[in-house]
Amino acid sequence: MKAIDVKNITKGFVIPHERRDTLREWIATGFKSHPKDVFKALDDVSFTVDKGEFFGIIGRNGSGKSTLLKVLAGIYPVDSGKVVTHGKISPFLELGVGFNAELSARDNIYLNGTVLGLSKKEIDAQFDDIIAFAELEKFVDQKLKNFSSGMQVRLAFSVAIKAKAEIYLMDEVLAVGDMAFQQKCFEVFREFKKQGKTLIFVSHDLTSVRRFCDRCLYLKQGHEMALGKTEEVLDKYVYEDRQGLNEASAPVHQNKNEIPTKTDNVKIQSVTKQAEITQVRFLDKTDTENDTFISGDAMTVEISIQTRKKISDPVIGIVFFDNNHVECFGTNTELRNETIRCIEGNKVVRFEIEANMILQGDIAVTVAIHSRTGEPYDWHDKKYHFRVMNNTSDVGLVRFPSHWQINPS
Amino acid sequence: MKNSQNYFELVMRLALTDFKMRYQGSVLGFVWTLLKPLLQFLVLYMVFSVFIRLNVPNYQLYLLLGIMIWNYFSEGTNSGLYALLNKSNIIKKVYFPRIVVVFASSVHTLITLSLNLLIFLAFFLLSGKPIHLTALLLLVDLAVLYFLVLGISLCLSVIFLKFRDINQIWEVFLNAAFYLSPIIYPLEFIPAKYRFFLFLNPMTGLIQYARLTVLEGKIPNFSGVIYVVGSTIVILILGLFLFTRFSHKAAEEL
């Protein structure tokens, strides 16, 4: 049985060349209509979601995910096409809608609950449950502004799951909260699944999408790129769509600035530049350049070197750091007993990783070339970045190839 | 997409929250709700009764009632104007009929009016004036006022989506209308041939009839009432029309 049936919906936003917001501007421009551009946030999108299904919507920033969710919720009207929903849809997208920092937790529960369509009676009946689930028994009458963001999220989530609906829409809800709380959320989701509720889940966090969603829709600039089993859609998203990465919206590009590079001045100043690292590329298991990798997959770091004059017996090294500057892994050609006899002109060296053991996170990479005696030719300190997506439910920075062995007792 | 649920609770919850939030963080808190019209009354009373020496019977009660009714109109329409904008955080995230926020704003200011009326009642009882049975008609008067404010709020809130300077215009308009309504002066001060024009403003009727029924124990003339009620209905219908026509895109225009 279908829960949601979306047929050829298109939604555009008008981008006037000159925005006129005031009556004065309208009068000044003589009420003439200006040429307008329509930005199509959703272009001919169709899909159905079955009852009891957990459905994911993925895509990069500006791909239309959130617009689609708003259309489903009825917040945005569509330009053309049709959305049919069967069953009560939860009217909210984000946690803590209407939360007011100046009000107490108690008042916020009533406010948020009412916004979500609960009656006062229903909230009264479930009030203790909500507080207990959020673990905020001691803070019921504290103002929300004194809460940590984690506490606020817990409170919001606890109210949200009380909203009675058959179809839930959730936008990036799991992006926040500590691990223990996330675990709780997962349990709630499992409970939802048991009860046969339908959940539409929008996220950047591919790990949770993989964990929960039966099927996925992959949007790119308002177009449907893929629709089907989560595994297949995610593979397409991560590995086949490189074009999107170069269009300024890829998360890793934004993160580059967030990783401060602690530069080792001594090493940099004394760089002789007899050899120069001209390019470092990260290649995925299909040997194509990428900046996002799935944990456990093979990957390759391709280092291009150019020399001014012939240098002999250089050493090339590579170190991986997580975003707290913790050295995760490092090695060089010398340590691996590899000898590069000499380099003259250009040379490309490949560091091939059979299985990338990083579980998740943004990784910064230092690449260097120096002589056997340690004299640096070129040293790029944490200059290169890639991201690793967790495709498991494990937690942590690295993943050991491992399994549980339980002997029957 | 339609959830058949009772939105009445949402209206009340939002109105109550707005009322709570209004004087949040101030020492006197909601006492300001009562203090504000009193201070306003004191200033106007000083100017017009002590300095200028208007000779109007029952001027204190006369003025106080006028100020309270006017304040409801002015605060009600002003808060209605911002109703959609102030709730943009939930409008963008949750679906519900958008008219809920305008109702909430009108109810929120209604709470203020009720408290103000309690003050008026106290003053009235202290003054020892006779209580007329016609005073009950004040409730009808206020009901019409409520719908007038609601109608204007509906218009203004959606116009504000398109024209962000409507708030400036409305402020000037309110200022002018304050002096064009018989709040500080009795209607009799206006030459008879101009009085008709003053009555074109429905607020003139609403203020005048409130005083007539409460202070003088008289019943307003029929044609005047018809005009006030009629113009309120027209404005309300216009408001509903504009609102249903333009509010569905509120989430993207805010």
Side-chain angles (χ1 to χ4, degrees), chain A residues 276-281 289 302-306 367 380 384:
Chain A
E276 204 177 332
I277 299 164
T278 52
Q279 194 185 31
V280 171
R281 299 202 303 154
E289 184 169 3
E302 192 189 80
I303 304 163
S304 307
I305 291 157
Q306 191 176 35
V367 180
H380 288 179
Y384 306 99

Side-chain angles (χ1 to χ4, degrees), chain B residues 45-116:
Chain B
Y45 184 73
M46 283 289 281
V47 173
F48 292 97
S49 197
V50 182
F51 304 161
I52 300 182
R53 297 204 191 116
L54 281 187
N55 193 12
V56 181
N58 293 336
Y59 189 62
Q60 291 104 320
L61 291 177
Y62 186 93
L63 183 62
L64 195 58
L65 191 57
I67 290 175
M68 285 174 175
I69 290 179
W70 175 261
N71 277 3
Y72 177 65
F73 179 75
S74 131
E75 278 170 27
T77 52
N78 233 328
S79 122
L81 180 102
Y82 291 103
L84 286 169
L85 191 76
N86 284 343
K87 293 284 171 291
S88 66
N89 60 335
I90 54 173
I91 286 175
K92 286 177 176 179
K93 301 293 179 198
V94 181
Y95 173 77
F96 56 84
R98 300 322 186 192
I99 205 162
V100 162
V101 297
V102 183
F103 272 111
S105 124
S106 67
V107 171
H108 152 217
T109 38
L110 210 52
I111 302 174
T112 313
L113 177 68
S114 323
L115 290 169
N116 286 348

Side-chain angles (χ1 to χ4, degrees), chain A residues 11 21-24 26 70 73-75 85 88-89 91 93-94 97-98 102 107 117 119-120 143, chain B residues 1 3 5 9-10 13 17 20-21 24 90-95 162-165 169 248 251-252:
Chain A
K11 171 73 190 167
D21 271 339
T22 66
L23 196 58
R24 190 194 62 74
W26 278 89
K70 286 187 177 182
I75 296 168
T85 52
K88 189 174 182 312
I89 198 161
L93 302 172
E94 279 174 20
V97 174
E102 294 291 338
D107 286 341
S119 70
K120 184 171 179 303
K143 280 186 183 175
Chain B
M1 224 171 287
N3 289 324
Q5 72 180 52
E9 288 209 25
L10 184 55
R13 178 64 57 186
T17 308
K20 255 191 180 173
M21 291 310 300
Q24 182 67 45
I90 54 173
I91 286 175
K92 286 177 176 179
K93 301 293 179 198
V94 181
Y95 173 77
K162 276 272 175 241
F163 304 115
R164 291 296 165 97
D165 52 357
I169 297 169
H248 68 290
E252 45 202 284

Side-chain angles (χ1 to χ4, degrees), chain A residues 167-195:
Chain A
I167 305 165
Y168 289 84
L169 306 174
M170 296 196 168
D171 198 352
E172 303 281 1
V173 278
L174 290 173
V176 275
D178 62 13
M179 247 168 53
F181 190 72
Q182 283 201 356
Q183 211 51 47
K184 259 184 159 176
C185 303
F186 294 156
E187 268 154 37
V188 170
F189 285 177
R190 260 178 232 124
E191 192 57 34
F192 277 7
K193 197 145 202 172
K194 243 191 253 165
Q195 295 168 359

Side-chain angles (χ1 to χ4, degrees), chain A residues 104-119:
Chain A
S104 66
R106 182 189 303 277
D107 286 341
N108 271 304
I109 289 176
Y110 279 96
L111 179 60
N112 187 231
T114 314
V115 169
L116 300 186
L118 290 167
S119 70

